[in-house]
């Protein structure tokens, strides 16, 4: 932590300003702002050192969330529950005991991840009363490490979209421009972390749902290798997170720094907290221009080109590569797997969690027109994927896609692939079917997932890092994808890349009075 910030926190403690009531007082906005700017690792260091009480920190974050309700980040929250957990953390520390590496850290959890103390709705009306009997493994690991459930984040309904314009709970708003989407489907997580509601959280990612909103909201979003986290990657795992497709789904951390994301990843997996070192100089990053650099928004493209130049100036070796037949292989996997498994996995979740809701009843109550159309036509309707097409996707196209990626990494000795996370920055809320790109109306969903979907279907890890802003002040993300199982190495590479760009300026959303 920077010494000036450490000194400021000590001032809060010694002056008595760091009491829980201070968070809601209007007399110290500068002081509150300093605390809100703490990253997760900085906040944890301050709490462990006694420079900041966990209760004070939680109260400040709760005040921030209350003042920015217009972002529509939260579906459920119990402020007293948050404060009670923070008080327990302070009491434990006073007795010389730390609860774990996340001692007293509030976390924002996507509302499709099972939680025992708050409902898990997946942003859909039929599950408003869904009270799981146990936490998902990923949440349980975080809480056992001392983390605090800050709230359940709004999302695209049933995670079937990238705008987070939710027909049941309302749209999440991008804190950099309240008229714009935050991305999705983990839009509430990214918007909440960017707006300083919480320092970090957990979303989920099927085709880009942690990385796309991270890119659009100027934070870091990580998709681990499929199956890396306990309770994921298999049909059994769909009992813990409201699913789209077990072959593709995975929870993933979202935070303001790579170090914070790496911390959550290590806590979830039980691996050592320290990342391996990756030096920027000599890193070999693959640039697949045909697949990931065509038809970009001009302002975004300018930011990305400048980012690549800065990486080269820092000693990164950019390697021109091509992944043959990538688009066709990806098309053979993506929707056949997602749409078929949604029809088989969702009923397993509904029954295992004793919801009393059938798939047909769930579909009938879907509130978002774009999501309802997908389910009625392509999951339970006449356009449903035949099992033979699904089998070909799993047994033929997916192995070929995975092999194509691995060959590119091996033949070019790549540390990672690098590309713009999305082809365009955030667009206005309400453009759920089409958006404008280079003078044309294009599919909103297919355009935003164009770069994130192939790696998702191959099951490889990917991380989006903020690298700049457009002239309109909208964040731009750069993605790094690594070989399957290279998660810690990839995060180390991302941390090295992050040193070139630092953090984006904090958003300044208008507060509710």
């Amino acid at each position: 932590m920077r010494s000036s910030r450490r000194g400021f926190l000590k001032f809060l403690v010694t002056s008595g300003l760091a009491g829980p009531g201070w968070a809601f007082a209007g007399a110290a906005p500068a002081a509150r702002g300093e605390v809100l700017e703490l990253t997760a690792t900085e906040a944890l260091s301050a709490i462990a050192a006694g420079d900041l009480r966990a209760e004070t920190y939680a109260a400040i974050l709760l005040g921030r969330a209350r003042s920015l309700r217009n972002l529509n980040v939260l579906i459920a929250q119990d402020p007293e529950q948050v404060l009670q957990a923070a008080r327990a953390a302070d009491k434990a520390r006073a007795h010389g005991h730390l609860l774990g590496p996340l001692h007293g850290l509030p976390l924002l959890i996507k509302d499709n991840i099972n939680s025992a103390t708050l409902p898990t709705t997946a942003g859909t009306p039929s599950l408003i009363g869904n009270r799981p009997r146990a936490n998902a493994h990923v949440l349980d690991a975080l809480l056992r490490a001392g983390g605090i459930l800050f709230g359940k984040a709004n999302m695209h309904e049933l995670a079937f979209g990238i705008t987070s314009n939710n027909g049941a709970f309302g749209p999440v708003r991008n804190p950099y421009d309240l008229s714009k989407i935050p991305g999705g489907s983990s839009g509430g997580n990214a918007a909440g972390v960017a707006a300083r509601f919480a320092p970090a959280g957990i979303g989920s990612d099927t085709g880009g749902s942690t990385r796309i909103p991270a890119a659009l909201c100027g934070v870091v979003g990580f998709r681990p290798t499929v199956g890396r986290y306990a309770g994921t990657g298999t049909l059994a795992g769909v009992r813990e997170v409201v699913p789209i497709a077990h072959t593709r789904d995975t929870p993933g951390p979202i935070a303001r720094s790579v170090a914070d994301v790496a911390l959550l990843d290590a806590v979830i997996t039980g691996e050592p907290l320290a990342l391996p070192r990756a030096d920027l100089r000599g890193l070999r990053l693959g640039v697949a221009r045909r697949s990931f650099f065509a038809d970009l928004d001009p302002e975004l493209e300018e930011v990305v080109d400048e980012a690549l130049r800065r990486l080269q100036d820092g000693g990164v070796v950019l390697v021109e590569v091509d992944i043959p037949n990538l688009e066709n292989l990806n098309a053979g996997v993506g929707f056949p797997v997602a749409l078929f498994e949604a029809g088989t996995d969702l009923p397993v979740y509904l029954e295992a969690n004793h919801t009393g809701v059938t798939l047909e009843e769930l579909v009938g109550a879907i509130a978002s027109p774009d999501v309802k159309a997908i389910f009625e036509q392509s999951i339970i309707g006449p356009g449903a994927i035949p099992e033979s097409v699904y089998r070909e996707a799993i047994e033929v196209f997916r192995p070929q896609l995975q092999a194509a990626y691995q060959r590119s990494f091996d033949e070019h000795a790549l540390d990672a692939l690098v590309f713009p996370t999305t082809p365009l920055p955030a667009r206005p809320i309400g453009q759920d079917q089409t958006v404008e790109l280079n003078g044309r109306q294009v599919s909103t969903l297919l355009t935003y997932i164009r770069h994130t979907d192939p790696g998702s279907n191959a099951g490889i890890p990917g991380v989006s890092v903020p690298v700049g802003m457009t002239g309109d002040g909208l964040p731009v993300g750069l993605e790094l994808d690594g070989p399957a199982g290279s998660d810690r190495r990839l995060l180390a590479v991302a941390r090295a890349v992050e040193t070139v760009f630092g953090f984006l300026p904090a958003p300044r959303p208008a507060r509710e009075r």
Side-chain angles (χ1 to χ4, degrees), residues 269-295:
T269 60
E271 295 186 15
L273 300 183
L275 272 180
R277 180 176 174 80
D279 292 322
L280 195 67
R281 186 164 298 279
L283 280 180
R284 293 175 60 82
L285 302 182
V287 179
R289 295 195 184 276
R290 180 184 61 80
S291 297
F292 299 121
F293 287 81
D295 196 22

Side-chain angles (χ1 to χ4, degrees), residues 469-507:
M469 305 177 80
T470 68
D472 292 331
L474 297 174
V476 174
L478 195 68
E479 179 156 347
L480 300 158
D481 279 4
S486 69
D487 300 66
R488 296 304 280 180
R489 169 64 179 172
L490 180 66
L491 288 171
V493 169
R495 185 173 60 179
V497 168
E498 181 185 57
T499 64
V500 176
F501 306 102
F503 297 163
L504 297 186

Side-chain angles (χ1 to χ4, degrees), residues 198-215:
I202 301 293
S204 68
D205 193 307
T206 302
S209 288
T210 58
R211 295 157 291 158
I212 291 169

Side-chain angles (χ1 to χ4, degrees), residues 72 74-75 111 121-125 128 154-155 166-172 367:
N72 203 29
L74 293 165
I75 285 180
D111 201 26
T121 73
T124 198
I128 287 175
N154 199 355
M155 55 184 283
N166 188 302
F169 293 94
V172 183

